[in-house]
Amino acid sequence: QVQLVESGGGLVQAGGSLRLSCAASGRTFRSYATGWFRQAPGKEREFVASIRWSGGNTHYADSVKGRFTISRDNAKNPVFLQMNNLKPEDTAVYYCAASGSYYGGSVYSLGYEYDYWGQGTQVTVSS
């Protein structure tokens, strides 16, 4: 069993910053990518950012590009999501996900590409 635990969420004013962390524990598995997704009330889950373990390539949703940064430490665990210049529309539950599956040149922006999911952490941005 693999567990992913997110932390770092909270309440922040517009223009502020938060850093989310995603830590994996449990069974060891080969991870091809880690991603962040979010879901706002009444909306579908959407892709935020991903990082591939091979090469460290990153990919971002257009809505967060230039404001959010996904990174990892040298030991691959945990993975961080630095969120700057937050906007009220960033308010959502943020989920960390890990992929144990290889999808070639994919940027890992689709939910089905991930095998393990965390429980989520709430991010609320006030105007």
Side-chain angles (χ1 to χ4, degrees):
Q1 190 79 349
V2 175
Q3 292 85 36
L4 299 179
V5 178
E6 304 95 338
S7 61
L11 174 64
V12 65
Q13 289 187 333
S17 299
L18 286 173
R19 190 175 83 152
L20 305 183
S21 297
C22 173
S25 63
R27 181 175 62 85
T28 300
F29 70 101
R30 178 172 182 174
S31 178
Y32 289 92
T34 297
W36 287 94
F37 291 75
R38 67 186 182 186
Q39 187 167 21
K43 296 187 177 181
E44 293 187 354
R45 183 181 65 194
E46 65 175 357
F47 168 77
V48 176
S50 65
I51 183 166
R52 291 187 58 141
W53 291 120
S54 177
N57 293 338
T58 58
H59 186 68
Y60 298 92
D62 287 343
S63 59
V64 306
K65 202 170 293 184
R67 299 188 297 122
F68 290 13
T69 303
I70 187 170
S71 63
R72 67 187 186 200
D73 66 11
N74 290 334
K76 302 184 179 181
N77 185 22
V79 171
F80 304 101
L81 184 68
Q82 178 67 43
M83 306 186 295
N84 298 328
N85 191 21
L86 283 160
K87 304 176 181 180
E89 51 264 43
D90 295 317
T91 295
V93 177
Y94 283 70
Y95 298 92
C96 170
S99 176
S101 304
Y102 179 68
Y103 288 99
S106 173
V107 297
Y108 285 84
S109 63
L110 302 174
Y112 77 82
E113 294 175 311
Y114 292 88
D115 304 288
Y116 309 103
W117 293 81
Q119 294 299 306
T121 185
Q122 177 70 45
V123 171
T124 303
V125 184
S126 63
S127 57

